[in-house]
Amino acid sequence: MFIPASFVTEVLGAEFLPPSEELIEEVNGEQKEGVYYSNKVGVLMYHAVMEDPPNGSIIAPEQFREHLQWLKDEGFAPISIEEYSAFLYEGGEVPDNAVLITFDDGYENFYTYAYPALKEFNYPAINFVIVSGVD
């Protein structure tokens, strides 16, 4: 998932300038085939997965599976929160094209819809629970 440049400009008031052709050639020239980035982690944040999503912050189970398949097909490497923490705080290494899959709010639909797909792809994820709602 990507944030549109229009959002950055309109909502955040920041100027968005695409990279120059020289920079793109320089970066692409240094990378191996199929490697989008190294020594970095992309964080994918999901809110909920449910049938007939009522709004754009929720996706359908089929769409979530398509996201996971795309990650696999494009050579992304989902990592665990432990690997991410070690990378941030202990100088640990992450694979090329590393991504951390996260879910907000700890809704039951994570277990119902997202977990089976994650298990099918053998992908780790972290589900952040709203602790004020837990005894």
Side-chain angles (χ1 to χ4, degrees), residues 32-96:
K32 297 179 278 187
E33 177 93 16
V35 175
Y36 299 101
Y37 52 88
S38 299
N39 202 33
K40 296 179 184 178
V41 177
V43 178
L44 305 177
M45 190 280 296
Y46 292 92
H47 184 68
V49 178
M50 61 176 40
E51 298 288 343
D52 303 316
N55 61 57
S57 68
I58 301 170
I59 65 171
E62 303 80 34
Q63 187 179 18
F64 182 63
R65 271 199 161 72
E66 288 172 6
H67 288 190
L68 299 181
Q69 185 65 54
W70 183 86
L71 291 172
K72 180 179 179 181
D73 293 346
E74 293 298 318
F76 286 89
I79 62 171
S80 68
I81 191 65
E82 292 82 10
E83 291 171 290
Y84 184 61
S85 180
F87 171 70
L88 286 180
Y89 302 113
E90 301 167 13
E93 294 186 13
V94 292
D96 292 337

Side-chain angles (χ1 to χ4, degrees), residues 89-111:
Y89 302 113
E90 301 167 13
E93 294 186 13
V94 292
D96 292 337
N97 304 331
V99 293
L100 178 67
I101 302 171
T102 71
F103 286 82
D104 280 356
D105 302 331
Y107 293 128
E108 181 182 354
N109 59 53
F110 169 81
Y111 185 73

